[in-house]
mmCIF file of all heavy atoms in Angstrom:
data_model
loop_
_atom_site.group_PDB
_atom_site.id
_atom_site.type_symbol
_atom_site.label_atom_id
_atom_site.label_comp_id
_atom_site.label_asym_id
_atom_site.label_seq_id
_atom_site.Cartn_x
_atom_site.Cartn_y
_atom_site.Cartn_z
ATOM 1 N N VAL C 123 79.557 117.109 77.572
ATOM 2 C CA VAL C 123 80.097 115.758 77.464
ATOM 3 C C VAL C 123 81.650 115.806 77.490
ATOM 4 O O VAL C 123 82.228 116.733 76.964
ATOM 5 C CB VAL C 123 79.617 115.098 76.179
ATOM 6 C CG1 VAL C 123 80.321 113.759 75.927
ATOM 7 C CG2 VAL C 123 78.100 114.938 76.186
ATOM 8 N N ARG C 124 82.215 114.792 78.120
ATOM 9 C CA ARG C 124 83.688 114.602 78.095
ATOM 10 C C ARG C 124 83.984 113.486 77.061
ATOM 11 O O ARG C 124 83.437 112.406 77.186
ATOM 12 C CB ARG C 124 84.183 114.112 79.466
ATOM 13 C CG ARG C 124 84.890 115.070 80.264
ATOM 14 C CD ARG C 124 85.407 114.504 81.595
ATOM 15 N NE ARG C 124 84.575 113.373 82.126
ATOM 16 C CZ ARG C 124 84.997 112.190 82.391
ATOM 17 N NH1 ARG C 124 86.273 111.857 82.164
ATOM 18 N NH2 ARG C 124 84.217 111.279 82.888
ATOM 19 N N VAL C 125 84.858 113.780 76.103
ATOM 20 C CA VAL C 125 85.286 112.741 75.146
ATOM 21 C C VAL C 125 86.693 112.325 75.587
ATOM 22 O O VAL C 125 87.566 113.159 75.783
ATOM 23 C CB VAL C 125 85.308 113.297 73.716
ATOM 24 C CG1 VAL C 125 85.869 112.240 72.756
ATOM 25 C CG2 VAL C 125 83.887 113.703 73.278
ATOM 26 N N ARG C 126 86.865 110.995 75.822
ATOM 27 C CA ARG C 126 88.150 110.439 76.288
ATOM 28 C C ARG C 126 88.786 109.604 75.183
ATOM 29 O O ARG C 126 88.117 108.843 74.520
ATOM 30 C CB ARG C 126 87.914 109.592 77.525
ATOM 31 C CG ARG C 126 87.310 110.437 78.672
ATOM 32 C CD ARG C 126 86.890 109.625 79.815
ATOM 33 N NE ARG C 126 85.779 108.765 79.404
ATOM 34 C CZ ARG C 126 85.378 107.689 80.077
ATOM 35 N NH1 ARG C 126 86.024 107.325 81.158
ATOM 36 N NH2 ARG C 126 84.370 106.972 79.651
ATOM 37 N N ILE C 127 90.072 109.802 74.958
ATOM 38 C CA ILE C 127 90.776 109.172 73.834
ATOM 39 C C ILE C 127 91.992 108.414 74.349
ATOM 40 O O ILE C 127 92.790 108.939 75.110
ATOM 41 C CB ILE C 127 91.236 110.217 72.799
ATOM 42 C CG1 ILE C 127 90.029 110.917 72.238
ATOM 43 C CG2 ILE C 127 92.041 109.570 71.668
ATOM 44 C CD1 ILE C 127 89.911 112.336 72.712
ATOM 45 N N TRP C 128 92.138 107.144 73.896
ATOM 46 C CA TRP C 128 93.276 106.302 74.182
ATOM 47 C C TRP C 128 94.002 106.024 72.891
ATOM 48 O O TRP C 128 93.352 105.772 71.863
ATOM 49 C CB TRP C 128 92.891 104.994 74.817
ATOM 50 C CG TRP C 128 92.409 105.107 76.216
ATOM 51 C CD1 TRP C 128 93.150 104.900 77.376
ATOM 52 C CD2 TRP C 128 91.048 105.338 76.715
ATOM 53 N NE1 TRP C 128 92.338 105.059 78.502
ATOM 54 C CE2 TRP C 128 91.073 105.344 78.085
ATOM 55 C CE3 TRP C 128 89.876 105.598 76.044
ATOM 56 C CZ2 TRP C 128 89.918 105.551 78.847
ATOM 57 C CZ3 TRP C 128 88.722 105.884 76.762
ATOM 58 C CH2 TRP C 128 88.784 105.851 78.175
ATOM 59 N N LYS C 129 95.349 106.144 72.924
ATOM 60 C CA LYS C 129 96.126 105.864 71.715
ATOM 61 C C LYS C 129 96.537 104.437 71.521
ATOM 62 O O LYS C 129 97.109 104.062 70.504
ATOM 63 C CB LYS C 129 97.377 106.738 71.703
ATOM 64 C CG LYS C 129 97.090 108.245 71.743
ATOM 65 C CD LYS C 129 96.538 108.702 70.469
ATOM 66 C CE LYS C 129 96.320 110.185 70.472
ATOM 67 N NZ LYS C 129 95.715 110.698 69.234
ATOM 68 N N SER C 130 96.183 103.561 72.480
ATOM 69 C CA SER C 130 96.527 102.173 72.346
ATOM 70 C C SER C 130 95.252 101.331 72.646
ATOM 71 O O SER C 130 94.350 101.821 73.337
ATOM 72 C CB SER C 130 97.604 101.751 73.342
ATOM 73 O OG SER C 130 97.203 101.977 74.645
ATOM 74 N N THR C 131 95.207 100.129 72.129
ATOM 75 C CA THR C 131 94.069 99.295 72.366
ATOM 76 C C THR C 131 94.530 97.885 72.646
ATOM 77 O O THR C 131 95.463 97.440 71.996
ATOM 78 C CB THR C 131 93.051 99.329 71.189
ATOM 79 O OG1 THR C 131 91.875 98.647 71.552
ATOM 80 C CG2 THR C 131 93.584 98.726 69.906
ATOM 81 N N PRO C 132 93.989 97.130 73.525
ATOM 82 C CA PRO C 132 93.007 97.624 74.499
ATOM 83 C C PRO C 132 93.757 98.300 75.661
ATOM 84 O O PRO C 132 94.828 97.811 76.071
ATOM 85 C CB PRO C 132 92.299 96.368 74.988
ATOM 86 C CG PRO C 132 93.318 95.322 74.865
ATOM 87 C CD PRO C 132 94.164 95.687 73.644
ATOM 88 N N PRO C 133 93.242 99.361 76.224
ATOM 89 C CA PRO C 133 93.918 99.982 77.321
ATOM 90 C C PRO C 133 93.779 99.131 78.602
ATOM 91 O O PRO C 133 92.789 98.391 78.715
ATOM 92 C CB PRO C 133 93.211 101.317 77.504
ATOM 93 C CG PRO C 133 91.848 101.043 76.950
ATOM 94 C CD PRO C 133 92.020 100.065 75.824
ATOM 95 N N GLU C 134 94.691 99.264 79.514
ATOM 96 C CA GLU C 134 94.544 98.566 80.824
ATOM 97 C C GLU C 134 93.374 99.127 81.514
ATOM 98 O O GLU C 134 92.965 100.273 81.337
ATOM 99 C CB GLU C 134 95.836 98.825 81.629
ATOM 100 C CG GLU C 134 97.080 98.230 81.030
ATOM 101 C CD GLU C 134 97.064 96.709 80.897
ATOM 102 O OE1 GLU C 134 96.468 96.052 81.818
ATOM 103 O OE2 GLU C 134 97.553 96.195 79.908
ATOM 104 N N GLN C 135 92.716 98.297 82.332
ATOM 105 C CA GLN C 135 91.548 98.731 83.092
ATOM 106 C C GLN C 135 91.788 100.012 83.882
ATOM 107 O O GLN C 135 90.910 100.825 84.040
ATOM 108 C CB GLN C 135 91.025 97.591 84.010
ATOM 109 C CG GLN C 135 90.480 96.400 83.288
ATOM 110 C CD GLN C 135 89.153 96.678 82.593
ATOM 111 O OE1 GLN C 135 88.641 97.788 82.617
ATOM 112 N NE2 GLN C 135 88.559 95.667 82.031
ATOM 113 N N THR C 136 92.992 100.153 84.449
ATOM 114 C CA THR C 136 93.262 101.295 85.271
ATOM 115 C C THR C 136 93.888 102.474 84.489
ATOM 116 O O THR C 136 94.130 103.513 85.093
ATOM 117 C CB THR C 136 94.247 100.874 86.419
ATOM 118 O OG1 THR C 136 95.400 100.347 85.807
ATOM 119 C CG2 THR C 136 93.615 99.826 87.282
ATOM 120 N N GLU C 137 94.195 102.314 83.240
ATOM 121 C CA GLU C 137 94.802 103.340 82.455
ATOM 122 C C GLU C 137 93.868 104.451 82.176
ATOM 123 O O GLU C 137 92.724 104.293 81.708
ATOM 124 C CB GLU C 137 95.290 102.733 81.130
ATOM 125 C CG GLU C 137 96.056 103.710 80.258
ATOM 126 C CD GLU C 137 96.515 103.121 78.908
ATOM 127 O OE1 GLU C 137 96.336 101.914 78.754
ATOM 128 O OE2 GLU C 137 96.994 103.879 78.111
#
Side-chain angles (χ1 to χ4, degrees):
V123 172
R124 255 182 329 121
V125 176
R126 299 171 294 163
I127 301 106
W128 288 265
K129 298 292 184 181
S130 61
T131 188
E134 298 295 325
Q135 292 288 6
T136 58
E137 184 181 352

